[in-house]
Amino acid sequence: MSNHIVESLKKEIEGFNLAIKAEKVGKVIEVFDGIAKVSGLSDIKSSEMVTFSNGETGVALNLEEDTVGVIILGDFSKIKEGDEVKATGKILEIPVGDTIVGRVVNPLGAPIDGKGAISAKGGSASGGKASLSYYPIERVAPGVITRQSVSEPVATGIKVIDAIIPIGRGQRELIIGDRQTGKTAIAIDTILNQKSQNMICVYVSIGQKDSKLRKIEARLEAGGAMAYTVIVSAGASEPAPLSYIAPYAGVAIAEYFMEQGKDVLIIYDDLSKHAVAYREISLLLRRPPGREAFPGDVFYLHSRLLERACRRNKKYGGGSITALPIIETQAGDISAYIPTNVISITDGQIFLETDLFYKGIRPAVNVGFSVSRVGGNAQIKAMKKVAGTLKLDLAQYRELEAFAQFGSDLDESTKKQLERGKRAVEVLKQLQYSPVKTEHQIVTLHALTKGYMDDVPVEKIKAFEKGLVDYSERNAKTFYKEIKESKMWTDKGEAEIKKVIEDFKKSFQ
Amino acid sequence: MTTISNNNNIAQAIYLGSKDKKGHELNLYAKEAVKFLNKKRLLSKAENILIKLKEIVDKEEKIVPATVASANKLSPHAKHDLMRILAKRYNAKEVELSEILDERLLGGLKVEVGGELIDLTLRNRINKLKEYLIEKA
């Protein structure tokens, strides 16, 4: 055994060939708060990776006449004045491979879940042939020629989203709301619902508490979602430069899978903290502050990131990246700097409200403020049909709700609309971690919009819904088959579901 | 009113002014230059200006300052060879070699010229081998 080790080591050492080359070096002039000022490095490029003598990595951000401002990606406490800094000639890149799925990595691609090193598929400890690919974290977004419009849905399993604010593969849909309104819950539910949907998920945690991340990981593990999920984490205790590069590292991983023609869902939780980390770096680098002390290029910071989400056409390999960025607002103020920026970049937003949350309407989606600009094209026909009238029902309900508080002198049709609205709100309520299959959503919404629930008491709606789903699953096989196969029902299916709903209603008390 | 923007410009101006001056004339010029710096409150930057001035003079006169670090003292013959090679590589008339002895390098030498490093030390080879073996594993 030991002989074998000696032999293989000998072989490796023989294969080692050190090329002699002149390297560009500089010296650390000052170092503070994750930033180093370096002299020399005269030929360095912007965003070029540098290495410090203690092995830490950095990225050159500020190129000045005599000095270079470098952000340090890691522990900066051991870097001191006078230390040697080497330019690598490469833009910062991270190792990626198929084996990264199911792992928790830091923004440099190193595993932090205690499950050992990430080696390439087919690679071995003694150096197999396969090796991990390296992907640059900064990359120009795919051009217009390579793209295709959004036409396939991402099933989130959340009724209100799938019906009213549908998301398509390749779309960028913002999740926005105050703290504790269920933003992360929507993202996690969506990941959980991607099981057997042919989707790789990347969850990028930016400046979150480690305890929260641990909980999320455990929840995804329990739901079997880690089998197709990668978590990229830059924790709250880590320096700002790591938070700054985390979303770019996440999208680099997503691009690796997209280039294999796969569909990828990426969640940035959250970009408010990302903007804050970038503000910290920019101020430390002495870049001039602008509105809310953010630097002038904070829009570009997010636009270049979110533009990398796309759906490529077949000619260019297919595959897509769907991005769900999250933004945390302060006291519901969506007109602050970062929220307005990201709203304008994305293809729609899901707006969550504290008031709704405490009224018990969860997910607390404000349907009026939420929109999906391109998702409608991705919705399947059957869902489009049932959701069309649902949106109308809810809009009318919201309008009439205020009047209804003044008295009971309402005409019959108004009363009817109010009752329908109440039931619609009830149907759209959903517990966390309980995604609903698309076909079940269609049955429920069909029953609602066709008025079958109008005479069911509001407090019994949930029981009715559950019972109907179970009953129809057993008795409306043609309807379900049609939806699964052709994404729409025929007259035969309609007649069947009508009979099934009526039969179920008779038995429901 | 023009502003004096940086040390490089000041050093450049001082160099251009002194270019054709010698002996007493140069001394007078130096005095005037210091007076000027004092008047413009730039004496605090004198150290950096002098570094820049040296860089400009070296560049103009094709003098290349080089630092060589080695574990053992270089023999006069090796030093001579090194200077010849460096002069050729950097197209220099003269190479100003400053030597540093550093036992941690174990063997070989490393040369630094104007932000460029050629590391031929044993320590570097061992470090690179370490990286290579770790990467392979």
Side-chain angles (χ1 to χ4, degrees):
Chain A
M1 179 66 191
S2 59
N3 211 10
H4 173 70
I5 295 170
V6 172
E7 280 307 312
S8 65
L9 200 61
K10 231 184 203 173
K11 216 172 100 192
E12 288 300 341
I13 292 172
E14 273 167 17
F16 172 65
N17 189 14
L18 179 66
I20 299 168
K21 57 174 194 245
E23 292 169 306
K24 293 285 176 190
V25 291
K27 290 238 161 25
V28 174
I29 303 175
E30 56 177 329
V31 56
F32 56 94
D33 299 329
I35 304 285
K37 218 167 216 186
V38 179
S39 69
L41 298 176
S42 51
D43 293 336
I44 200 161
K45 295 193 287 273
S46 178
S47 294
E48 186 174 327
M49 188 162 83
V50 299
T51 51
F52 290 89
S53 48
N54 67 346
E56 292 294 355
T57 318
V59 175
L61 277 194
N62 260 22
L63 310 184
E64 287 157 23
E65 195 174 352
D66 297 318
T67 58
V68 178
V70 173
I71 53 169
I72 304 160
L73 306 170
D75 184 13
F76 59 87
S77 59
K78 289 189 186 86
I79 295 169
K80 53 187 191 304
E81 189 196 339
D83 274 2
E84 201 169 77
V85 187
K86 278 183 190 164
T88 60
K90 290 188 288 190
I91 302 293
L92 183 64
E93 52 189 20
I94 60 161
V96 280
D98 292 345
T99 45
I100 203 168
V101 173
R103 304 298 301 268
V104 184
V105 296
N106 73 5
L108 294 170
I112 51 169
D113 50 6
K115 291 180 187 166
I118 300 172
S119 56
K121 216 177 191 174
S124 63
S126 61
K129 266 190 183 167
S131 61
L132 294 165
S133 317
Y134 281 82
Y135 268 60
I137 66 158
E138 289 279 6
R139 209 179 199 197
V140 179
V144 71
I145 302 295
T146 65
R147 293 186 185 227
Q148 188 185 351
S149 50
V150 172
S151 61
E152 269 194 53
V154 174
T156 64
I158 300 165
K159 282 175 281 184
V160 63
I161 296 176
D162 285 351
I164 300 174
I165 325 146
I167 302 169
R169 293 187 181 207
Q171 190 179 339
R172 301 155 298 172
E173 181 80 11
L174 170 67
I175 303 172
I176 185 168
D178 275 8
R179 61 186 183 86
Q180 293 294 309
T181 49
K183 300 182 297 297
T184 305
I186 286 187
I188 299 304
D189 274 0
T190 308
I191 294 181
L192 287 170
N193 198 48
Q194 299 314 308
K195 208 175 199 173
S196 65
Q197 303 260 12
N198 202 13
M199 184 84 97
I200 299 279
C201 301
V202 181
Y203 177 80
V204 185
S205 158
I206 309 157
Q208 306 280 354
K209 283 176 281 185
D210 283 347
S211 60
K212 185 181 171 184
L213 182 75
R214 189 73 197 87
K215 250 188 229 166
I216 289 170
E217 191 205 347
R219 184 56 235 172
L220 293 177
E221 193 85 63
M226 281 308 281
Y228 53 84
T229 305
V230 186
I231 298 178
V232 181
S233 165
S237 61
E238 279 163 294
L242 281 173
S243 294
Y244 161 58
I245 66 157
Y248 300 101
V251 78
I253 295 171
E255 278 167 350
Y256 169 76
F257 290 108
M258 183 184 70
E259 282 179 6
Q260 298 175 11
K262 292 179 181 165
D263 290 327
V264 189
L265 172 75
I266 184 162
I267 287 146
Y268 305 109
D269 194 0
D270 64 68
L271 289 188
S272 315
K273 290 196 185 75
H274 180 236
V276 167
Y278 187 58
R279 173 169 68 185
E280 183 181 328
I281 292 167
S282 295
L283 292 174
L284 288 168
L285 285 169
R286 294 174 192 278
R287 291 181 176 181
R291 184 176 159 191
E292 291 176 26
F294 287 106
D297 61 343
V298 78
F299 185 89
Y300 178 56
L301 174 81
H302 290 148
S303 65
R304 73 172 191 265
L305 171 73
L306 293 168
E307 200 57 19
R308 285 163 79 177
C310 65
R311 181 154 183 248
R312 293 196 315 181
N313 57 32
K314 282 264 152 40
K315 196 178 160 197
Y316 287 88
S320 68
I321 297 177
T322 310
L324 296 182
I326 294 178
I327 288 278
E328 186 181 294
T329 51
Q330 304 296 327
D333 181 16
I334 51 169
S335 58
Y337 193 22
I338 302 302
T340 46
N341 274 358
V342 184
I343 285 173
S344 73
I345 296 164
T346 49
D347 307 312
Q349 70 275 350
I350 298 167
F351 184 56
L352 303 171
E353 253 182 356
T354 318
D355 287 354
L356 294 176
F357 189 85
Y358 289 115
K359 264 191 210 166
I361 302 171
R362 297 175 196 181
V365 177
N366 180 324
V367 183
F369 284 178
S370 302
V371 65
S372 172
R373 292 190 194 111
V374 294
N377 302 331
Q379 222 170 12
I380 65 166
K381 256 188 183 172
M383 183 60 99
K384 220 177 219 176
K385 191 158 187 192
V386 292
T389 40
L390 174 69
K391 220 172 195 176
L392 200 70
D393 287 345
L394 276 171
Q396 286 173 341
Y397 171 63
R398 267 198 314 274
E399 212 169 282
L400 295 172
E401 199 187 12
F403 291 109
Q405 290 172 354
F406 295 118
S408 57
D409 294 349
L410 298 164
D411 64 85
E412 206 45 48
S413 70
T414 312
K415 267 186 195 163
K416 216 172 158 188
Q417 277 173 350
L418 277 171
E419 290 306 312
R420 175 72 63 84
K422 275 182 201 163
R423 280 158 186 81
V425 169
E426 202 58 33
V427 163
L428 294 179
K429 283 183 188 171
Q430 197 173 329
L431 287 177
Q432 201 179 348
Y433 310 134
S434 52
V436 183
K437 281 186 190 164
T438 310
E439 49 269 32
H440 292 163
Q441 292 184 25
I442 292 169
V443 169
T444 316
L445 296 176
H446 184 71
L448 172 80
T449 51
K450 289 283 174 195
Y452 291 108
M453 291 188 187
D454 289 355
D455 48 358
V456 178
V458 175
E459 58 280 5
K460 282 192 176 172
I461 287 285
K462 279 283 147 208
F464 182 86
E465 184 189 343
K466 194 178 176 303
L468 177 64
V469 164
D470 292 344
Y471 187 78
S472 63
E473 183 115 53
R474 286 196 303 273
N475 298 299
K477 295 226 161 86
T478 320
F479 180 81
Y480 278 112
K481 203 177 155 206
E482 281 173 359
I483 287 181
K484 256 192 185 155
E485 282 170 5
S486 60
K487 316 279 181 210
M488 186 58 198
W489 64 78
T490 59
D491 291 345
K492 198 177 154 199
E494 176 141 18
E496 185 193 51
I497 197 72
K498 192 178 170 202
K499 191 177 175 301
V500 165
I501 296 172
E502 278 166 358
D503 288 351
F504 174 71
K505 254 187 99 173
K506 275 181 210 153
S507 65
F508 183 76
Q509 295 148 27
Chain B
M1 201 183 97
T2 51
T3 52
I4 299 163
S5 58
N6 61 32
N7 304 340
N8 207 10
N9 291 354
I10 301 164
Q12 187 77 30
I14 292 173
Y15 171 73
L16 289 175
S18 68
K19 214 173 173 185
D20 304 319
K21 296 184 174 64
K22 275 181 190 155
H24 182 62
E25 205 183 358
L26 188 63
N27 285 343
L28 268 179
Y29 177 76
K31 269 184 192 164
E32 286 302 316
V34 173
K35 267 187 201 168
F36 172 78
L37 292 178
N38 186 32
K39 194 176 153 194
K40 295 284 178 188
R41 302 182 176 199
L42 288 167
L43 276 180
S44 60
K45 289 184 176 179
E47 198 177 334
N48 292 331
I49 293 169
L50 281 175
I51 292 170
K52 285 281 168 198
L53 189 59
K54 167 113 178 50
E55 277 174 17
I56 292 166
V57 172
D58 285 351
K59 200 176 162 195
E60 289 291 326
E61 320 246 306
K62 288 194 172 177
I63 300 170
V64 172
T67 313
V68 57
S70 57
N72 305 307
K73 206 171 179 328
L74 292 181
S75 69
H77 182 67
K79 221 154 90 178
H80 181 258
D81 275 358
L82 183 66
M83 282 165 78
R84 190 173 48 80
I85 292 165
L86 289 178
K88 200 176 160 196
R89 182 181 164 91
Y90 294 100
N91 193 20
K93 268 188 196 164
E94 196 185 315
V95 176
E96 266 181 18
L97 203 63
S98 45
E99 276 184 86
I100 298 170
L101 282 181
D102 187 353
E103 282 180 3
R104 287 173 304 172
L105 300 178
L106 302 175
L109 51 85
K110 69 174 180 184
V111 190
E112 198 182 325
V113 183
E116 204 170 61
L117 178 82
I118 302 166
D119 199 337
L120 303 167
T121 60
L122 200 53
R123 172 159 292 275
N124 180 44
R125 285 178 73 87
I126 292 169
N127 284 342
K128 287 272 158 68
L129 179 64
K130 190 171 107 184
E131 280 170 27
Y132 171 78
L133 290 176
I134 290 171
E135 199 182 304
K136 272 282 187 180

